[in-house]
């Protein structure tokens, strides 16, 4: 989740609710732990796992993958008061996610993992290598809705 302040969080929620369709996600504005905690407590987001240092997991040894994922998972739990259920791979493209990394994500107790491969989840999608719809700085609500409608057609 990206945000710079509670004001931007409110604007993002307004955008999701259709009250501010021109809102752009600010570039390089990361949420502080207190903002993540508040957004999680509100029920508007579900925190997800990542890594501690954002390495390309495909280039890491298995032990390094475990440490990165566990440290990231534990940090989210420390901030939010609960373990994350889902994992988002750093970089997440075809060259950055290995079958070994997907196994470690499962071993670390996650329900599944999302890559950065664009697409929608289908019944045959592998639970630890799910595609996703990326929302980037500059994405507008109308663009997001059009992508989702097109992807489901």
């Amino acid at each position: 989740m990206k945000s710079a302040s509670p004001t931007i969080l409110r604007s993002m929620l307004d955008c999701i609710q259709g009250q501010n369709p021109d809102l752009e996600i600010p570039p390089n504005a990361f949420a502080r732990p207190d903002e993540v905690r508040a957004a999680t407590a509100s029920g508007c987001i579900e925190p997800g796992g990542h890594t501690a240092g954002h390495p390309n997991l495909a280039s890491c040894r298995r032990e390094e993958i475990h440490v990165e994922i566990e440290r990231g998972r534990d940090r989210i739990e420390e901030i939010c008061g609960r373990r994350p259920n889902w994992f988002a791979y750093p970089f997440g493209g075809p060259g950055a996610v290995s079958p070994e990394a997907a196994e470690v994500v499962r071993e670390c107790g996650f329900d599944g993992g999302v890559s950065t491969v664009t697409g929608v989840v289908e019944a045959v999608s592998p639970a630890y290598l799910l595609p996703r719809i990326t929302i980037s700085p500059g994405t507008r609500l109308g663009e997001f809705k059009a992508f989702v409608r097109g992807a489901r057609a």
Side-chain angles (χ1 to χ4, degrees):
M1 182 185 80
K2 293 186 177 183
S3 135
S5 69
T7 302
I8 289 186
L9 279 174
R10 180 74 253 158
S11 295
M12 290 174 73
L13 292 173
D14 288 348
C15 175
I16 291 166
Q17 295 167 351
Q19 298 169 16
N20 188 359
D22 294 324
L23 176 76
E24 288 187 22
I25 296 171
N28 302 317
F30 296 93
R32 297 183 315 263
D34 61 311
E35 293 174 322
V36 174
R37 189 177 303 109
T40 300
S42 76
C44 292
I45 69 161
E46 179 180 331
H50 202 47
T51 56
H54 207 271
N56 178 337
L57 295 177
S59 64
C60 294
R61 294 186 327 274
R62 188 177 189 85
E63 307 81 49
E64 293 173 301
I65 296 170
H66 260 284
V67 169
E68 281 289 332
I69 292 172
E70 289 170 346
R71 284 179 56 215
R73 178 200 63 205
D74 294 349
R75 179 66 175 133
I76 292 296
E77 183 175 13
E78 177 186 320
I79 291 169
C80 299
R82 62 181 171 133
R83 277 196 166 183
N85 295 318
W86 294 91
F87 183 83
Y89 294 95
F91 307 103
V97 180
S98 66
E100 184 174 47
E103 288 176 26
V104 173
V105 169
R106 183 184 52 75
E107 291 168 7
C108 288
F110 289 93
D111 294 334
V114 294
S115 67
T116 60
V117 175
T118 301
V120 293
V121 174
E122 299 180 25
V124 297
S125 298
Y128 291 90
L129 292 170
L130 296 171
R132 68 178 171 189
I133 299 169
T134 301
I135 302 173
S136 302
T139 300
R140 297 185 182 280
L141 181 61
E143 295 171 294
F144 178 73
K145 285 181 177 179
F147 182 84
V148 171
R149 286 184 187 120
R152 291 185 178 171

